[in-house]
Amino acid sequence: MGTSRRLTNLLRRDVIPYWGTKSIHEIKKRDVSDLVGLIGQRNAHASHRLLKTLKTFFKWCVGRAVIDFSPAEGLSSGYRETSRDRVLTDQELATIIVGARQMPHPYSGIVEFLALTGQRREEVAQLKRDELDEKARTWTIPGARTKNKKAHIVHLSEAAWRVLAEASEGELVFGTSRGKRFQAFGIGKRALDKLSGITGWRLHDLRRTIVSGMARLGVPPHVADKILNHQAGTISGVAAVYQRHDFSAERKEALDRWGAHVERIVQQFNSKMDKRSVGSKPNEHRATRSDQDVTTAH
């Protein structure tokens, strides 16, 4: 979901029902404080996010002389964001991918494609078929959809290309059955957590997992940064001004190595599951089937 749409939904859900038709000129600091406190009773992070949104909105109004000062200025939600450092192990990553493969399209493909390319969730969800170059095996994300507003080329490994080959044939590669953009990420994630047994992670953690995994494979940090299209990477300051090399060949090699690594850990996971299945006692299999029959009957 784009930033403007997300902010609009936030205002409609949390602000308009509370302030109603009150004029912007009638909004006082106390009104903002009370609203943020009310939302905070439901969710501390939501109140923090709302206050940030209101500050941005009122600052915009001041800049256009709609109001003289911001009623949100100087207020604090009291919430302290903590940086996330969740990195999935190879075992966890393999379990998640195998679990995702058992889920319906397009969520199944989105998760695996994210795990193979390291791009952002919305960039993948909005991937259009005409952005793909089959001959070069690349995906060009237009600047309008990237965080830094610059077009970004993603090299696609054999594993990533196979995911695309199994996707729908519509304009949106990971579109719904109606050809619309997939948005049910919350529902899909909860189902995947239950199916895989892996919890306490987010889709965005796949990016951090890939960087960590590539480091173990010997990929230099600046190449990984280029792959993830980070706004501020390991090359910064004066060096960034003069460093215009895009490391295209290095990025391709890194993603090919990562794709092969992911395929390997998934194969190892499946082999381990197959051995466990073969090694199970016959009565264990019968008990499992019986339990499934009972569940189905009810």
Side-chain angles (χ1 to χ4, degrees), residues 282-296:
N283 62 337
E284 290 178 339
H285 285 290
R286 284 195 295 272
T288 301
R289 284 196 295 272
S290 177
D291 290 341
Q292 290 175 342
D293 290 342
V294 171
T295 303
T296 304

Side-chain angles (χ1 to χ4, degrees), residues 164-183:
L164 296 178
E166 296 172 0
S168 65
E169 298 181 355
E171 180 187 11
L172 285 174
V173 175
F174 297 113
T176 65
S177 58
R178 296 183 178 181
K180 303 294 184 180
R181 184 179 67 185
F182 179 81
Q183 299 185 60

Side-chain angles (χ1 to χ4, degrees), residues 59-132:
K59 184 177 180 180
W60 179 86
C61 291
V62 171
R64 283 155 182 76
V66 177
I67 54 179
D68 295 328
F69 61 89
S70 169
E73 194 64 36
L75 292 178
S76 172
S77 66
Y79 178 81
R80 293 290 177 268
E81 288 187 294
T82 56
S83 59
R84 292 181 57 86
D85 57 0
R86 181 78 156 94
V87 175
L88 298 167
T89 65
D90 282 350
Q91 175 75 13
E92 289 176 323
L93 182 59
T95 305
I96 287 169
I97 291 175
V98 171
R101 288 177 177 177
Q102 299 174 52
M103 296 186 66
H105 175 82
Y107 188 75
S108 57
I110 290 176
V111 172
E112 187 167 359
F113 197 71
L114 286 170
L116 290 165
T117 64
Q119 302 312 300
R120 294 180 173 87
R121 188 186 80 177
E122 292 303 323
E123 293 169 348
V124 171
Q126 298 179 59
L127 192 165
K128 295 181 179 179
R129 199 160 295 281
D130 61 9
E131 296 169 359
L132 300 171

